[in-house]
Amino acid sequence: MTRDEETWQLVRAVDRMELVAPRSTGALRLSLSLRQGAMARRLAGARPSDALPRAIGLHRRAPPTVFDATAGLARDAMVLARLGCQVTAVERVPVLAFLVHEAARSASFAARLSVLVGDARDLLPKAAPPPQVVYLDPMFEHDSSAQVKQEMQVCRLLAGGADDAGELFAIARQIASQRVVVKRHARQDPLAEPRSFVIDGERVRFDVYLTAP
Ligand SMILES: C[S@@+](CC[C@H](N)C(=O)[O-])C[C@H]1O[C@@H](n2cnc3c(N)ncnc32)[C@H](O)[C@@H]1O
C-alpha cells in the first residue's frame, strides 16, 4: 500500500508508532520508543538524585503524586513514574498522547502513569485529590536538541503555538499541595519571582515554588 504523503500519517514501525507530518511541512517524524535509544537509556539510568526528581522532592520523602500539565511525549513524566511517583500526564495534542500511551502501556511503571488528553487549564482544577506537585515544561525556543526541535514543530503545526504558561502557572499554584516545578532553559527568565529555590540540570534548570504553608 502506498502512503499519501500530503496527509498526517501514523505509521506502525517494528517496535513503535511513528507520526509523519505531510511532505509540504517538511515530512517531520516523531516517535517514542522505550526499548532502545535515548529514552531507554534515560529510564535505565534514572536516579532520585538527578535534577528533576530532586526538584520534585523525590530524594527526601515518599514519591509524591505529580500532575504533569504539559506532557508532550511524557519523557519527564515517565522518569518520575519509573522512580515511583503516581503521575497524571495531560497533553492537549491527542496524537502525542496516543504515542505516549502506545509506548508506555507495557512499561514496568504503566500502572503509575495516567495519560489524559485535554487542556490542563480545565483538568487541573478537577483533579481529586489535588496533586502534591504540579510540573510544567512549557515549550521554549532555545532548545538545541534536534528531537525536541522536531517535537516543537509538530506541536506548533498541530496545536498552534499558544503560550499559556502564565495561566497554567497561576492555576498550578492554587492547586498543588506541596510545590510547583517549572522547567526552564538555563538562560531563560523565570516564569515568576520569587522562587523558593532552583535546581540546575544540564542545559536546563528547575524553578521550584513551594506552596505548602
Ligand atoms: C515542551 S513539551 C513537554 C515535553 C515533556 N516535558 C517531555 O518530557 O516530553 C510541551 C507540551 O505541552 C503541551 N501543552 C501546552 N499547554 C498545554 C495545556 N494547557 N494543556 C495540555 N497540554 C499543554 C504542548 O502541546 C506540548 O506538547
Side-chain angles (χ1 to χ4, degrees):
M1 204 173 96
T2 54
R3 289 201 296 109
D4 177 356
E5 295 187 339
E6 292 312 326
T7 63
W8 287 90
Q9 305 267 323
L10 265 173
V11 180
R12 186 174 284 285
V14 180
D15 63 340
R16 62 188 187 279
M17 297 295 294
E18 192 167 48
L19 176 65
V20 185
R23 193 171 48 175
S24 53
T25 60
L28 302 163
R29 286 170 175 265
L30 200 60
S31 66
L32 180 64
S33 170
L34 308 191
R35 299 213 181 114
Q36 57 185 15
M39 192 56 205
R41 289 192 296 278
R42 190 173 163 199
L43 285 170
R47 300 282 175 271
S49 55
D50 294 342
L52 169 63
R54 270 173 42 224
I56 296 290
L58 195 57
H59 59 308
R60 296 218 168 168
R61 55 188 98 162
T65 55
V66 178
F67 189 104
D68 180 348
T70 56
L73 284 185
R75 287 161 300 208
D76 295 332
M78 288 188 206
V79 165
L80 295 174
R82 149 101 172 68
L83 292 174
C85 298
Q86 193 68 44
V87 183
T88 302
V90 176
E91 173 51 50
R92 64 185 171 186
V93 179
V95 73
L96 295 185
F98 176 72
L99 290 178
V100 174
H101 183 264
E102 281 292 295
R105 63 186 171 157
S106 56
S108 58
F109 52 79
R112 289 193 296 277
L113 179 68
S114 307
V115 184
L116 303 181
V117 179
D119 192 319
R121 291 172 295 182
D122 302 327
L123 295 177
L124 179 51
K126 295 179 188 149
Q132 292 168 310
V133 178
V134 177
Y135 176 61
L136 301 179
D137 175 12
M139 285 188 255
F140 44 77
E141 301 292 337
H142 314 287
D143 203 300
S144 54
S145 126
Q147 207 211 338
V148 175
K149 265 188 185 161
Q150 284 224 5
E151 193 180 319
M152 273 174 35
Q153 286 179 54
V154 169
C155 285
R156 284 213 185 90
L157 289 167
L158 290 171
D163 179 11
D164 52 9
E167 215 181 317
L168 269 176
F169 179 73
I171 299 168
R173 275 193 107 153
Q174 305 235 322
I175 303 286
S177 66
Q178 288 181 1
R179 62 180 69 185
V180 178
V181 177
V182 184
K183 185 186 200 174
R184 304 296 273 170
H185 188 275
R187 294 186 301 277
Q188 221 177 359
D189 289 337
L191 266 189
E193 290 281 21
R195 296 165 284 178
S196 304
F197 58 94
V198 174
I199 306 264
D200 288 313
E202 278 179 47
R203 300 199 322 271
V204 297
R205 61 164 209 274
F206 298 96
D207 293 342
V208 182
Y209 302 84
L210 298 177
T211 56

